[in-house]
Amino acid sequence: MDGGGAASQETTAASGGATVGVRIHHSRRLPDFLQSVNLKYVKLGYHYLISNLLTLCLVPLMVIIIVEASQMNPNDVRQLWLHLQYNLVSVIICSAFLVFGSTVYIMTRPRPVYLVDYSCYRPPDSLKAPFDRFMEHSRLQGDFDESSLEFQRKILERSGLGDETYVPEAMHFIPPRPSMQAAREEAEQVMFGALDNLFANTNVKPKEIGVLVVNCSLFNPTPSLSAMIVNKYKLRGNIRSFNLGGMGCSAGVIAVDLAKDMLQVHRNTYAVVVSMENITQNWYFGNKKSMLIPNCLFRVGGAAVLLSNKAGDRRRAKYKLVHVVRTHKGADDKAFRCVYQEQDDAGKTGVSLSKDLMAIAGGALKTNITTLGPLVLPISEQLLFFATLVIKKLFNKNVKPYIPDFKLAFDHFCIHAGGRAVIDELEKNLQLLPAHVEASRMTLHRFGNTSSSSIWYELAYIEAKGRMRRGNRVWQIAFGSGFKCNSAVWEALRSVKPSRNGPWHDCIDRYPVKVVS
C-alpha cells in the first residue's frame, strides 16, 4: 500500500475555500495571436507536415519511377534482363544478404504481447463504507482522539471519494478484527473473484496458463498469494509463478513488464497478472496524522489481466503492449523514505507519508516522461522541445522550456487514482483537459484508491463509456513507494466494448458526477 500523491491532502484541506474574482474587460485591439485559439490549427498543421515528411518526400519519387516505368518498351525490358543475367553473381550475393538479414530480424525481433482481456473485482454491497458510517466506526473504536477524528473527516471531505467505496469485512466490526485469517479471506475474495470472471469471459482454461505474476505490497503470507492461486485453480506443475511484494501502487505496471519479459522467452503461452492490495492487517489505529491518510483513501479492489504471445490471439485481443518505461528514484534517501512503513511512538504500525511526497513524485514523473517522450511523441514535438532547449542554453536563459503535448501521442490517460492531489497535478503539468482525467477522477470517486489495480478500473471506465476506438493509444501511469514512477502504453486493436460483469456495468450511466472540492 502506498500513498501515490495522497500526502498533499492535508495541504489541500488547509488551502481549500479560496475564492477568485474575475473581471472582464472589452478591448478593441487585435487579439494576441499567441493566445488565440486558432494557434492550435497552426500547430496541428505543423505536426502533420513533420510527421508525414518522409511520405511527402517519397510520393514524388514514386511518381517519377512509375512514369519512367510506363515509358519502357519491350526492348528496354529485354535489355534490363540481359544486364541482370551478366551480373548473376551480384544478384545472388545481394539475395543471400537479404534472406540472411530477414531471417535474423524475424528471429530476434520482440514478440508482440497482446492483452486478451482483464477483469476488475467488484466487492459486494455489504462492504460499502459511506462517510457517515466510516466516521461513526472510527469514533466507536476508541483508538482515535478528537484531533485525529477531525483530521480524518477533513481528508475524507476533500479526498474525491464517494459514498460507495468498499472496506474489508474485518473493518465493519466494532472493534475491528484484523486477523491473519481475515486477511487471507480478503485476498481470496479479491483474487478469485477477478480470476473467475476473467476465465469465464475468455474461455481460457487455467491449465493453459504458463506464467503467473501476483503483486501485493503489504500482505505476503506463506504460502504466497501466487501459491494460493496455483492451489485454487490446480495450475500446471511447470508454471512460472512470481509474487511481488512491497513495491507499492506502481507494482501493477512492474508485474506487466515482468510478464512481458517472460513471454519473450516462453513461446505460445498465456500469462496472468493479478494486482491487488490487502487492507485488513494494514489499517492504522494510531494518532499520527501522516499515517492516518491511507485509512481515508485506500479501499478494497483488484484486477486480473490475461496476456498472450500467441499470433492467433491478435484477432480477439483488446490491446497490444507498445512500451513499458520504469523509473526508480530509490537511490535518493528522501525518495526512499517518502512512503515508509513503520511504527509510531505508541508502537502501532502504519504507512507514513512524507510532506515531500508530491515534489518527489514530480521529479520521478519528469524522469519517466523524459525517457518515454522520444518513444511516443511525434517528431514535430521532439523538434520543438529540442529547439527551445538549444535556444535556452545558447541565447536566452529566461526562455521557458517547451512542454511536449502528450495529447498528440495518446488518446486516453489512466493516471493512478492515488488521491485528488496527484490527479490535479498531472492534469496541470501535462496540460490535459478535464475529459482526459475523467476516468481517474471517477474511479477515485466510485472505488477509492485500489492501489496498483486502479489503472484497470480506469481503463474499464473508458470502455464502458464506449470511447475506445481501434488504433487509440492508452497511457497508464502509476506511482509507488521506493520511489517509483512507471508507465505502460497500449494500442487498441479494435473498437473495444466492455467485458461482461465489468466493475461499471450497473452504474456507468450515473457518471461522470461532480466531485465536491
Side-chain angles (χ1 to χ4, degrees):
M1 186 185 299
D2 102 62
S8 66
Q9 297 293 339
E10 183 175 3
T11 303
T12 306
S15 61
T19 58
V20 179
V22 178
R23 180 176 297 173
I24 301 175
H25 296 275
H26 295 281
S27 174
R28 297 184 179 219
R29 292 181 299 175
L30 290 173
D32 185 354
F33 178 74
L34 292 177
Q35 300 297 325
S36 173
V37 69
N38 291 328
L39 182 62
K40 69 180 181 180
Y41 299 115
V42 178
K43 187 174 180 180
L44 286 173
Y46 168 73
H47 160 63
Y48 180 84
L49 174 65
I50 297 298
S51 299
N52 296 277
L53 187 61
L54 181 61
T55 302
L56 294 174
C57 292
L58 287 177
V59 167
L61 181 62
M62 293 296 295
V63 171
I64 293 173
I65 293 174
I66 292 172
V67 171
E68 290 293 329
S70 65
Q71 295 177 352
M72 294 179 66
N73 55 43
N75 186 54
D76 293 332
V77 175
R78 181 172 176 276
Q79 290 296 326
L80 180 61
W81 172 250
L82 291 174
H83 178 74
L84 291 175
Q85 281 185 316
Y86 288 127
N87 292 274
L88 185 61
V89 175
S90 298
V91 173
I92 292 175
I93 292 175
C94 290
S95 300
F97 272 108
L98 182 62
V99 171
F100 176 76
S102 300
T103 303
V104 170
Y105 171 74
I106 293 173
M107 295 297 293
T108 58
R109 67 175 180 174
R111 294 185 179 88
V113 174
Y114 303 112
L115 193 162
V116 179
D117 205 351
Y118 63 96
S119 174
C120 299
Y121 175 64
R122 173 77 174 268
D125 290 346
S126 60
L127 298 185
K128 287 183 178 179
F131 285 2
D132 293 342
R133 188 188 305 173
F134 181 96
M135 290 306 304
E136 182 65 16
H137 277 232
S138 296
R139 188 177 303 276
L140 293 176
Q141 287 173 25
D143 295 302
F144 307 113
D145 57 31
E146 287 300 320
S147 175
S148 296
L149 289 170
E150 179 62 17
F151 177 76
Q152 291 181 75
R153 186 187 63 80
K154 289 182 178 180
I155 292 296
L156 283 171
E157 288 177 350
R158 294 161 174 80
S159 64
L161 274 68
D163 266 344
E164 295 186 288
T165 61
Y166 308 89
V167 299
E169 185 176 358
M171 297 297 108
H172 285 270
F173 293 96
I174 299 176
R177 303 174 182 176
S179 64
M180 171 63 77
Q181 181 59 31
R184 284 186 182 274
E185 290 174 357
E186 180 193 348
E188 290 173 352
Q189 290 170 3
V190 174
M191 294 190 303
F192 300 161
L195 285 168
D196 286 346
N197 194 47
L198 180 68
F199 290 141
N201 288 344
T202 59
N203 293 319
V204 171
K205 298 178 181 178
K207 288 285 187 182
E208 298 179 71
I209 306 302
V211 178
L212 173 64
V213 185
V214 180
N215 69 269
C216 181
S217 191
L218 290 178
F219 182 59
N220 294 284
T222 300
S224 66
L225 298 176
S226 59
M228 291 166 61
I229 294 175
V230 172
N231 177 259
K232 165 70 175 180
Y233 295 98
K234 310 304 177 189
L235 303 184
R236 63 198 198 194
N238 65 342
I239 190 169
R240 279 79 177 176
S241 65
F242 303 87
N243 202 97
L244 307 180
M247 305 193 80
C249 297
S250 67
V253 177
I254 297 173
V256 167
D257 190 36
L258 175 57
K260 178 206 71 175
D261 291 342
M262 296 301 294
L263 290 175
Q264 298 303 310
V265 178
H266 304 284
R267 297 173 178 268
N268 201 40
T269 191
Y270 290 110
V272 166
V273 172
V274 179
S275 297
M276 61 165 291
E277 192 50 86
N278 192 285
I279 299 175
T280 298
Q281 284 195 311
N282 295 290
W283 201 265
Y284 176 61
F285 296 99
N287 291 290
K288 187 176 180 180
K289 290 182 173 57
S290 64
M291 300 171 77
L292 280 169
I293 296 173
N295 286 9
C296 301
L297 298 180
F298 282 91
R299 296 295 183 263
V300 175
V305 183
L306 180 65
L307 303 175
S308 172
N309 58 10
K310 299 181 180 182
D313 280 326
R314 180 185 174 88
R315 288 175 295 178
R316 68 165 180 156
K318 289 185 173 184
Y319 306 94
K320 181 177 73 172
L321 182 60
V322 183
H323 300 293
V324 175
V325 174
R326 293 166 55 181
T327 301
H328 205 309
K329 308 294 286 186
D332 179 77
D333 289 341
K334 284 188 176 180
F336 176 73
R337 294 188 64 91
C338 71
V339 181
Y340 203 78
Q341 186 180 24
E342 60 184 355
Q343 290 182 326
D344 63 13
D345 294 337
K348 296 181 179 180
T349 302
V351 176
S352 177
L353 304 182
S354 166
K355 62 181 181 180
D356 301 319
L357 178 57
M358 288 303 296
I360 292 167
L365 173 65
K366 180 180 178 181
T367 303
N368 189 267
I369 63 177
T370 300
T371 305
L372 181 67
L375 299 175
V376 299
L377 287 170
I379 189 65
S380 59
E381 289 297 292
Q382 298 188 46
L383 288 176
L384 284 172
F385 177 79
F386 180 73
T388 54
L389 184 64
V390 171
I391 293 172
K392 180 179 176 64
K393 291 290 185 182
L394 298 181
F395 302 105
N396 188 354
K397 292 187 177 181
N398 294 323
V399 174
K400 292 183 178 181
Y402 178 72
I403 300 176
D405 188 355
F406 279 92
K407 297 188 293 294
L408 294 174
F410 303 111
D411 302 282
H412 306 285
F413 297 81
C414 295
I415 300 168
H416 165 55
R420 196 186 69 186
V422 69
I423 300 173
D424 290 344
E425 285 299 311
L426 264 71
E427 179 183 9
K428 180 179 71 174
N429 292 333
L430 296 178
Q431 299 178 353
L432 302 179
L433 300 175
H436 293 130
V437 296
E438 180 184 314
S440 299
R441 292 194 190 282
M442 297 307 103
T443 294
L444 181 65
H445 182 272
R446 177 64 183 84
F447 296 100
N449 181 349
T450 60
S451 190
S452 57
S453 65
S454 68
I455 53 178
W456 298 108
Y457 287 88
E458 294 163 16
L459 188 58
Y461 180 90
I462 297 170
E463 292 178 4
K465 282 293 184 181
R467 298 171 182 172
M468 190 64 67
R469 298 288 181 263
R470 181 175 181 176
N472 283 180
R473 285 198 167 193
V474 185
W475 182 13
Q476 292 180 323
I477 183 166
F479 302 91
S481 57
F483 189 85
K484 299 178 287 293
C485 175
N486 299 322
S487 295
V489 179
W490 303 88
E491 181 181 348
L493 298 177
R494 52 186 169 90
S495 295
V496 181
K497 297 180 180 179
S499 302
R500 288 174 296 175
N501 299 320
W504 301 91
H505 72 93
D506 63 348
C507 61
I508 190 63
D509 293 335
R510 293 192 277 116
Y511 286 87
V513 298
K514 185 176 181 180
V515 179
V516 179
S517 60

